[in-house]
Every structure is written in structure tokens, then in C-alpha cells.
Amino acid sequence: MASVQSAGEAVARIAYLSSDTIISVQASLSKDSEFSSSLRQYAGNKASSLVCKDVPDVQSVRHNTDPLLSVFKPVRHGRLTSVTTSSSILVRSIPHLYKLAQYPVVIHVSLLPTGYPDYGDITSIRNTGFTFLHSNSLQEAQDLALTAHALAIRSGKGVIHFFDAANSNNDQPITHESRELVLSVLNADLVRQHQATRSEETTLYVSEGKGASSTLGRELGDGNAESGIDTSPTRGTHDDTRDPSTASSSSSDRRNSSSAESAAESATTISTEPKPVSSEDIYYICSSIWSQIRTTTGRSYSAFHYTGPPNAEAALFLFGSDPGLFSQEFDDASSSDFYSRVGLITPTLYRPWLTERLVESLPKSVKKIAVLEQIRRKTTKWGPLLLDLLMSVKSSSEFEKAPLIVGYQLGFIEYSTITQALSGIFQNLSSASPIQNLEVGSHDGPTTSLARSQKDFDLSQPALENAYMKILDQIFGERLYIANALKASNTGVSSTISSSPEYGFGSLVARKQHRRRFVGEVQSAVKGREFITEIPQKWLSQWALVADKAEEANKAAPEVIARLSTDGSPAASALLRSKGLFFSESQWLVGSDAWSYDIGNSGVHHVIASGENVNMLIIDSTPYSDRAAQDAARRKKDIGLYAMNYGNAYVASVAVYSSYTQVLQAMIEAEAYDGPSVVMAYLPYNKENDNPLTVLQETKKAVDLGYWPLYRWDPKAEEKGEECFKLDSERIKQELQKFLERDNHMSQLMKRHPEFHANLSESYGSEVRQVQKRKAKDAYEALLEGLQGAPMTILFASDNGNAENLAKRLGSRGKARGLKTMVMAMDDYPIEDLGNEENLVCIAATAGQGEFPQNGRNFWDGVKNSTDLDLANVKFTVFALGDSHYWPRKEDKHYYNKPGKDLFTRLTDLGGKEIVGIGLGDDQEPDGYQTGYSEWEPKLWDALGLGNIEGIPDEPPPITNEDIKIGSNFLRGTIVEGLNDPSTGAISAADQQLTKFHGTYMQDDRDLRDERKAQGLEPAYAFMIRCRLSAGVATPDQWIQMDAISTNLGNETIKLTTRQTFQFHGVVKGKLKPAMQAINQALMTTIAACGDVNRNVMCSSLPEQSELHGEAHAAAKRISDHLLPSTNAYHEIWLQDENDKKTQVAGDAVQDFEPLYGPTYLPRKFKITIAVPPHNDTDVYAHDIGLIAIKGEDGKLQGFNVLAGGGMGATHNMKKTYPQIGRMLGYCDKDNIHIACEKIMLVQKDNGDRKNRKQARLKYTIDRMGLDVFRSNVEELWGQTFSEPKPFHFDSNIDTFGWLKDERGMNHFTMFIENGRVEDTADFPMKTGLREIAKVHKGEFRLTGNQHLVLSNVADEDLDAMKDLLKKHKLDNTNFSGLRLSSSACVAFPTCGLAMAESERYLPELITKLEGVIEESGMRQDSIVMRMTGCPNGCARPWLAEVAFVGKAFGAYNMYLGGGYHGNRLNKLYRSSIKEEEILEIMKPLLKRYALERNEGERFGDFVIRIGMIKATRDGRDFHDDTAEVESDDEA
Ligand code: SF4
């Protein structure tokens, strides 16, 4: 039989069985309480409860966030609610307790500190109207927990069950209370009545005192007559005990009456007037419950528990820990002991206090009672228990003479001190005039682990929140003083108090006064001329003038101190004793969102109202996704808004994961502001150990949707002629909008951000979306009204546009056949109309792991879960699109076309009639999905009787990229018009293709897609801009300009790409043109950085051979310039302003001309790179043209071996696509190389596949034509031939980190920039560091093909200074594992539209998880090339890595093994669609094995081939052959 080990476990189980909702209060969400691990386990296993229809809702709440607020919502919804907590929250929660006592809430309280708790936490709340039960052993904890629940249900009133968990630490395990017993005691009928009851109440508080006194009145017994309950004390057994809960006044009646009354309640009256439940009612309910327990188990309970001789003359009343210790000692007492023949009494039912039951339990022979109260903070002379007892015995007529009562303050007593303590107690008791309030035992309590639990509940700063602390530290350094820092030792003050705003504020005020006094002392010392020399006088008077100006005072302070130190006078020594006060501190109070709830908020008010110059940093951690789930009672105060309304405070709202720069700015401004400042800082997390990626995503949602707007408010700015309110994000919430409107700041804001006008204010709720859907459909219907013919509604769910295109085409064909067709995305369709459709056609693509595409998910959820859709009158069919080979594993085959198939089945189940069977489109068919579609569509027309219609007009062919290029007038299209359209953040689909040629892609933030869609907003469109930077060489000035562009116009980060250039993300449409102009001002361009043209030409970064690098760089630049497109469109669109129309070409008679490219440019992108052996750091085999530099005998660049037809892009499981390595064409000297490249490009231009973009790259052209034919075509066009290739040797494709000296004596430092992302974080402000370096650097920056950075050409005389700077900014660190240094990842989420899985944000984490094994195996320094991309497009060149992970679906990757270390061999599929767990399962033992079994110098990629794990890929065309995972063609 299952056994229970601890009181926490016993209580948690009973609470779970007896509740609908359990509020589990924890010190921290990452640290379990004694109840929470059991509760989590039950909830995780979906264990059933006895009262809840579903699984009980277990809500974890941190103890400092006003946890009892969480109780109101569920209890008012008729949910039986219990709380598990420590005693630390009780006193602070008194305002809630008065109210909650009127509901059947059970609060299980574990007293703190365990082993020596302060029972004062219980006595302080004894008058709140709760019933209190006290358990002292493991068995009692279980039985009284059950009693508490049954009592709450039967009485309709709150019950607090408290215990010291240490009391049962040594108890034997007990068995679980049987479910039958629990159920029978709970009383199922009453449970149902409670659950059917709703309360309309909304207030949280009763008026103070009134509720309590009326409850107290009833406790004293005045309700008995009214309730008509027989209070005869003679009844004691189960059968004859009358339980008032079963009498006519049911608790459900009570609740109903309370809700009726609540309508009339006002803020100053008691909102609920419960029907009286008297003390005796409680007693009889308890007796009835205990009688039931006794009948089943034999264990009996009573209100007061007496043990000892029936004729005892003295008794000890214990309200404290460990009664077992006392009774044991009494049992063992000898007749000579002071305490022989003494009885022990403990309360089980502490409140209501039942005098008669107490008197009943005491032998009448008792003459003296010692009352021991374990209460640490005594606030009254007489202890509450002493008074209770006095009242009871004095008022009782049972005693001939009232016993003498003597109170004691009970300290910590243990086995070794009990005898001595009891001797003292009874010696005093039996003396002629006993001393009252004698303290017994140790006041300070145990020093051992018993006290540990208190520490667990002490506040601690969650590690995540360190981000803000680090920034404060970074800005203010030694000047920073945090008044309420948790680490500060405040003797005798608990962390809860010392971290409160009031406490911190008080200490700050004291500190300020102290300094003011000091300034006064300095001034009088100056006046009094108390110094030996004149010097201090002068310096001190200067300092005194600026003492209140932080910057100046701090500048002067060291000098003043130095001067004083040499004076030697007593006056100087006196001032030096407080020398710290010469500095002006940056003083901060740091708080959490606990300050936003009522109880903490009053402290904040206090600080703001004081007008003192104090800075507050308040870290809010409620995740955006949770904010809707917050019930009204738990809604927090908006401190920012509150402070702004107050009018005297600087207020900023910041989020470190959204804008680091804005956080810096706000903190600096807050500190400079003379008056209270409040910086509200967002850091959303569910648990303190949350992954930073989740924090980032939650922050983005909150900021983007205006839940957490970024702003700064300076009420004194107007005096300086500036705006008070500065909005740093794009959207604000309505409350803020109202404030600004009222204060007339909104119009200023609109003026400044006209582009945000339409969507400046967030409107919460999905109704917006509903209304939009309805409007769209109504508009469509109005459009169709005039048309004849039967209706046909075509709904699509499209992933990459194919399903949408098919739907639209089917719509036009339907129209041509006389049907009234309507085409919509599934999610745009109001689902409630589905039953009214006549003919319904659904076209569904397949996304991720067999999921519905984004724009069909809500529709599918609606159809799947609907209980009232009736499709009896609907005729329907479905066409599904998918890839039958996408899931190589047999068990995953069912994902093929799953959405379409599921939908078809569900529509049938809902009663729909099939027009024609489901059609299946398969990408693996010769014509892809078209094969299946062209069979299915005619069947559809036939079934509708429209198969053979004459005279249907020809359809226009679909628009292709080629058409877009031709129609664009040399890349103009309608880009200018699109940029000027303020109604959307997007540009047209055709322009999206064209802007690529200008170096910019439209993207949308994928972290925000779902959320924005739910809000009825268009996706968060923003643009990526890619620069063109030959060979990746940039000047320091250019670096500074790039830094500024990313901060002012982008998302504050710079990406150094795998093609050695700068990339900016998050540039919104309105900032696109300024960004392009800023790039141009930096003497860079973006033209042809993307698109079907030759792109940025790369070159090895070569720090140790600068001369050769110079020559190779020059060649790269020459090739790049030579192959640039000639169109004027770029200049015209981006660089001219409105007044500069002179050179405008569009619409003019002058036409552009592209001598190389012609109007259709290339069939596909074209990439060229140069590698200088022995470094293949630019992956020369992976490009359309790979140039291997050949040195002449003079050591200078002589020419190049030319490779052609390398390329990375592929499509998962589409065998016609594959990565390929470049093939050797031959040697060409350096002077001719740009011409050779041109001719190769032109042969590709004329021969590349322009019909199928998936087959358009040069690699396929060469494979189709054959290498020799291709070469001869090039040579023919060129008029020259390639020579025999020259010998060369590569030895790696990674970067060489650290310092190197080149042949000219210049120094170069290659630094590690993980995945090329340059950004500031609290831990590592890398971007700031690089900016500071760029300001003084005299050489250049070289971006490497592996996304790292070389600080190049540092002269010896500058070397030390540069090393210092690198060190200062932590940029000198290259001490990473070889695996990390050799890794590379593409951007992927959130910006890349093609990403299927995370890459740049995930690879570092994966590497961290592998580094343990790497270290253990002694391979920390060993380089293994590992790469990751979010899709098979291959931007980080994964196919050449020794081990690669390519995104397949969110969280799932294909794993490839066996690439060549020098980037010379492609890898091969090892496992498909594996998740992290499997990746680690494969990689960890494999790395160990490699460490043990490798041959001397053997590379990882070679090793996996030698041991037979994977076959070598010799050519791209065998990439799909002999993979480790055999694909099966069987369809599941
Ligand atoms: S590899 Fe794919 S996911 Fe990664 S950046 Fe390139 S296109 Fe995007």
C-alpha cells in the first residue's frame, strides 16, 4: 500500500483530492515547497480528484506576489479552492483573510522556520474569521487536512490548517487515507452545491473590524438559538451528531444570498453577510467528521487534546512545537521531578476557541496551568493564549476555584534541554508568587539545518533579473548603491521587510541626510580654517559647491581626498574618516512586480509622494502570454502610469530583451533627474530558470502589441522646450493612450510618428479579428450578389503560396464556368457560416510535422472541436498538398497530407456530402503536386456537371519571376509607390522580388506572427538589408556608421554574414530609405547584395599574409565591380530625395541598359569567392565560382585555379535538388580573372533553367551540360582557354583565432563573434566594445567567411592600448572549445521567412550541452566543424560541415555526417527529423568514441566514414544515395 513520508505530502494529497483549484505558494517557482512537488506530480499525471470533474487546476504563485489574490476568482466561480503555503505570507495577507474567511477556502500552512516556528504568525490572524486546526504529527496532518476540507465544505467558511513539519520528521510512514473515506467525509451533495454557486462579488476587502467582530460575536455562541441547531454537548458519536451543514440552511443558500446582497454593497459596508455559523456549529461539524474518521480508522480527535493522569494537579498548555517531546518527558518523570503527575494539553481546534470544550478536557483536579506560547514577536504584555485560558477558566463554573494560570515565553527546546526547561517551568509554577512571562529555552533557536526552510523562503534575486543589475553596474559602477539589496545584511530584519520600498526608502533618506550633514561639516571646516595648510581649504570649498552634482563631485572627490591625506590636521583626519561621502552615489531601490499589487504598492506611493531624489527600478516578470489569464483580482497596478499621473516623477518603461540602448538611456536619465524616478523594467518569465529565448519571445510580443510599450516620460522636459513623452516602441496600450490624450501629449506623438497613427494604440481582444472576418465575407458576398450561378466557396490553407495559387486559379476557372466563386484563406472565413455553404472546396497544404499551415490553424481547430456544426446541406471536397518522402521514417509517414486528410474525414463526420473524393498532390511526382491536381480537378467539374463547357476563355499564364524582372523596367517595379504607402508595413509581392536586387528582403517577425494574427493585425513586417562589401574589408569609420544604422534604424544588432558582409534586421518600411542612404554615406552600397545577379565577392581574410590579402582583395573588388548591374533604379529609388529629379529615369524617354545582364538578369543567384591556400575559410567549393589563389615564385598573387558549379541550396527529400561542390575548369592568370568570371556567368545566363527556379543554379546547368561542354562554351565566349590547374593545398576551413603578426610586422587579432551576431547584452556589451575600438583603431576590420571578425593592421606601438581595450570589453576572449570556435549557424528565426527551425539562437545552446562530453574526452581544443541552418537553403553552408543540422520543423532537424574538414567533401543524411534529445543521444557517445578510436590526426568527418557510420558523398549527385536512414516508399 502506498505510504506517505511527510506532512507536506500527506496534506498535498488530501488537498488535491478535495479541491477544484489549488494555489501552490512557493518561495520561487524554480524551487519546490514541501507541498508543490507532490501537487505537480499529481497534476502532471492528470490524477483524478474526488470533487473535480476534470483534473484540478494547480496554480503556482510566488510568495511575494500577493498570493491570496489568486483565490478570489476560483472561489467566486464555485470552485473548491485550497492554498498550500508557508506561514510567511499570513500576516501580510490579513486584508484578504477577512474576506476569504467567508468562503469555503482551506489554507494549509506549514509554519516557519521549521523546527522552531513563530506561532505569532497564527495568533496574529486568529480573529480573521477562519476556523483554525492544528496538527502535530504525520497522521494528524493527514486527518486534520481532511477535516479542514470537510469542515470548509460543510460550514461554508474558511479553514486554516497549520502545522510544524519538523514535528513529524521522525514519524513512521503512514498509509494513504482511503479515497472512500475521503469521499464520504467530504459530503458529495454539498460539494455539488458549492460548485453550482457563483458569487457576483468583486471587492476584495471587508471593512476593517466589522467583519471580524461580527464573526467573533458568533464565535461566542450567540448564533445557536437563531440557527436552531441542537447544541447539546452530550452527543458524541457519528450517528447521533447532528451536522448543521445538512440542516435546512445549506451553504449554497448562503452563497446565493450573499450574491444577491452584493449588488447593494458599498465600499464601506460588509459586502457579504453570511448566515450565522456559530462556534458550536463548527464544533459539531468537527465532531461529526471526527466521528466518521474514528468509525473507519479508530483514531479519535477532540477540540483540545489532554494527556496525563486524570487527577493531575498541574497541567501544561502548549502552543508550540513538539508536544511529543513534552509528553515523553512527563511519562518518564520520576516522583521527585517537579513535573511528575502533570498533564499536557494542546489545542486541535484553536479557533473558534471553545471554553466549554477546554474545561471539559481538563481534569477538575488541576490547580495550576503553565501556558507555553512559542511567539517570537510579543506585542502585548500577556500572550494571546494566556488570555484565552484566563477567560475560559475564570468564566467557568466547573472549577471550585479557578486554577492559577502562569504564562511562559517558549524558546527552542530539544531533547538535551527539555528536563532543565520543565524543571524551571514547574519550579516557577509551584512557587508562592510565580513570575509571569518567564522565557524558557533558547530564544535564538536551533543553529542546525532545522532553520533551513526559513532561508528557502527568504527572498532571493532570480538569476534572470541580474540582467538589469548588471546594466546598473555597468553605468554607475562604484557609485551604485542599492538600498534594499537582498545581499545586504540587516541585523534582525527579514529579507521580506528589507526588500520593501518603505524600508529601502527609509534607509536612503537616512543616507542622504548623513551626506547632507557631511557637506555641512565640510563647509564649517572650510570656514573655521581648521587645516594646517591652505590647500585643503581651496579644494574643499570647490568640492562643496558641486557636492550635489554627481558628475562634478565624483570628479573632484579623489583630488580632495588626496589633498586632505597630506594635511595631517585633526579636521582633515575627521573628514577622511567618512571619505566615501565625498562621492555622490547613484541611489536605487530595486523591486519586483510584487510592488505592483495592492500591498506592495502603498510603499511605492510613499516614495513617489515624498518627492525625494530617489531612483526606483521595478522589474516586472509577468509573461505576455499569461496576462490574459490573470484574473481581475490579481490585476496589477500600472506603477508607470500611476507615477506619471502623480506628476513629479521621471518614468520610463524599458525591456532589456527589446532595446538595450533604451534601457541605458532610461537609467542615465532617471539618475540625472532631480526627483523621484521610476524605471519599469520588463523581464517576463514563468520560472526563474527559464530559457532566455522564451524571455526574448515573450518580450517581443509584449512590446510589439503595446502591452509593454517602451517610453520615457520627463515631466520637466517642457521647461527645456522638449517633449515630455518619448515613445521608443511602436504601439501603446489604451490606458497610456488615455493618459496622453488627457495631457495633450498624444497629438504631439501623432505628429512625430504619423506612420503609427493607425495602429498606435493596442486594442486587446480577438473580437477585432472576428469583425474583420465578418466584414471580409460580407463584402465578398455583396460582390457576388449580382452574379448568376451556383455558389462555390474555396478555402485554402497555404504554407508557401502553392495552395493559395491553386485556390485562386480554381476560383477563376469556376467563374469562367458560371459559378459564384469565393476564395478565402481558411482563417479568414467565419466558421459559423460553414453549414450554409452549398459547394465547399478546401485546398490544404502540409506544414511542419503534418500540421495545418498558419492561415488554416484556427479554422481547423474550430472544425475539429465544434459540437454544433451541421454540414448536412453542404457538398464538399478537399485537395491536399504534401510530400510523400518528406518523412523518411516509416512511423512518420502518416504526416503526408495529414491536414487535408484529417479535414476530409472531419467534414464527412459533420454530415457533409462528398462532391468528389479527396485529391492528393505529391511533390515527389514528376510535376510535383500538379500531377495529382490535374487528375482531380476535371473530376470536380464533372461531378458539378461542368465538365464539358465550350468557349471557356484561355487563362493567363501564372506570373513568374522572369515576368516580374521583364516588367520591372530594370528593377523599378512599383517600389517607390510601395514605400510611400503608409497603410501597410509591406510592399507588393512583385516588388518583394525586385527589392532583393537592391539588397533588401521583406520579412516578418515570426515570433510575433500568431499573436498579431490573433489581434487582427498584419504581420510585423520589417526589412533585412544586406550590404555589399568586397572581401569583407571595412574601415573603422564604416564600422561606426554601421553600428549607428543598426541602433537608429534597425533592431540594434548587426549580423556579420557567412558572405563577409553586414546585414541589418528589423528595419521597418519607413526607415528603409534613410538606412539605404546612411549606408551610401558610409561609402558602401547594397545593390546586388541579393537577387538574380552576382553578389558580394568573398576572399580569405588572411591575417598573416597582408600583402597577398591586399592583392586578393583587389581582385575580388575588380570582379565585383565588373559584374555590378548598371541600372539607375537603385540611385533613383533610394538615394535621390524628392527635389532631386534631374537624373530620374523612370517614365523618361531615356531607358536603362544592362550590358551584361539584359532585362531578365540571371536565372538565379550567383556567388563568387576567393580562397587563399592553405586556408579554405571562404568554402571555395560551395560557390558558383570558386577561385583558388595561386602564388607565384615571387610570393605575389599570380592567378587562380577556377572552380565552377558549387552551390548549397536544396529541398528536403526532393532528390532532383542537391548541394554540389565546384568542379575544376582550370587555371587563369589574375589580370584576366574578372573576364573569365564574366564569361562563366554569361554561359549560365543563357543556359540556366529559367522555367524551374529549383533547377536554375549553375550547378544544375553544369551537371546537365556536362563539365567539358560547359567549359568549352565558356572558352568559346571568352576567346581564351583555361590552363592546367596549378597544385595547391588546403588544411582547414575555419578561422585562426587570436593575435598574429604578418610579414610586414603588423598585428591582427581574430576575435570570436558567435554566429556573427554583434549585439549588446547585459553580460557582454560587445557592440559597445567594438564601437569604442573602432573609434581609435587605425587599421581596418576584416569580416571572415565564418562570421567572425579580424581587427586588422595594428601597429606595434598601438598594440598594448588595443589589447587593453579588447580586454576591457571582454573581446579578447578566444578561450572557447574547439567545437564552438568551428561552429556556424544561419539567422533563421525570427526573421528568415524560410526558416523551419531555430538556428542562430539554438546552436550555441546545443554546443553548451555537448561541451561536457568534449571536456571529459579531452577534446576541448579539437576542432570539429559543426554547422546548423534553419532550412535546406544552406546559408551557413551546412552540407560541407563534418556534422550538420538542418531544420525540418520547429525543434526537429535532419542530421548530416561526413563532410570534409577542409570543406572539400559534402556530408550525407544520417538521421531525419530528430529532436534535441536524440541529437544528444547520438552525439555524446559518438564524440567519446571519436576521442578513443580516432587515428593520429584523423578528422571527425573522416572518422565517421571510416567506422562505417556513413558513406562518403563524392559528388552532389550521389548526395541522396546510400543515406544512413533508408527511405521507405510504403505509405502508412
Ligand atoms: S538557411 Fe534557410 S533558414 Fe537559414 S537563413 Fe538561409 S534561408 Fe533562412
Side-chain angles (χ1 to χ4, degrees), residues 1404-1415:
E1405 278 181 47
L1406 180 65
I1407 291 176
T1408 304
K1409 289 180 179 159
L1410 290 171
E1411 273 172 339
V1413 178
I1414 293 272
E1415 302 263 354

Side-chain angles (χ1 to χ4, degrees), residues 921-961:
D922 183 355
D923 280 351
Q924 292 297 322
E925 297 288 350
D927 287 326
Y929 61 86
Q930 289 288 1
T931 308
Y933 184 79
S934 45
E935 283 172 22
W936 175 83
E937 192 191 310
K939 289 190 209 156
L940 171 68
W941 298 134
D942 284 347
L944 292 170
L946 302 167
N948 291 310
I949 307 266
E950 297 287 316
I952 293 176
D954 285 347
E955 284 171 28
I959 293 175
T960 64
N961 271 44

Side-chain angles (χ1 to χ4, degrees), residues 485-545:
L486 288 169
K487 53 185 185 298
S489 61
N490 298 294
T491 327
V493 180
S494 82
S495 62
T496 314
I497 294 170
S498 70
S499 65
S500 68
E502 294 93 332
Y503 182 90
F505 178 61
S507 90
L508 271 191
V509 169
R511 212 167 163 89
K512 277 172 186 294
Q513 283 169 353
H514 189 38
R515 188 163 187 273
R516 255 176 238 144
R517 263 202 314 276
F518 180 73
V519 176
E521 283 164 22
V522 168
Q523 282 163 339
S524 47
V526 170
K527 276 193 205 128
R529 303 185 166 271
E530 296 167 13
F531 304 101
I532 294 172
T533 64
E534 301 253 309
I535 298 168
Q537 208 116 335
K538 185 178 127 223
W539 281 92
L540 283 170
S541 47
Q542 277 175 8
W543 176 86
L545 286 176

Side-chain angles (χ1 to χ4, degrees), residues 448-496:
T448 58
S449 59
L450 279 177
R452 205 191 55 227
S453 60
Q454 174 71 54
K455 288 212 186 71
D456 285 351
F457 263 82
D458 274 355
L459 288 174
S460 60
Q461 178 99 41
L464 270 169
E465 291 185 6
N466 287 343
Y468 287 107
M469 309 310 286
K470 282 181 184 158
I471 299 176
L472 278 181
D473 210 45
Q474 188 192 338
I475 303 173
F476 305 115
E478 288 179 352
R479 286 181 51 217
L480 179 65
Y481 175 76
I482 295 177
N484 57 344
L486 288 169
K487 53 185 185 298
S489 61
N490 298 294
T491 327
V493 180
S494 82
S495 62
T496 314

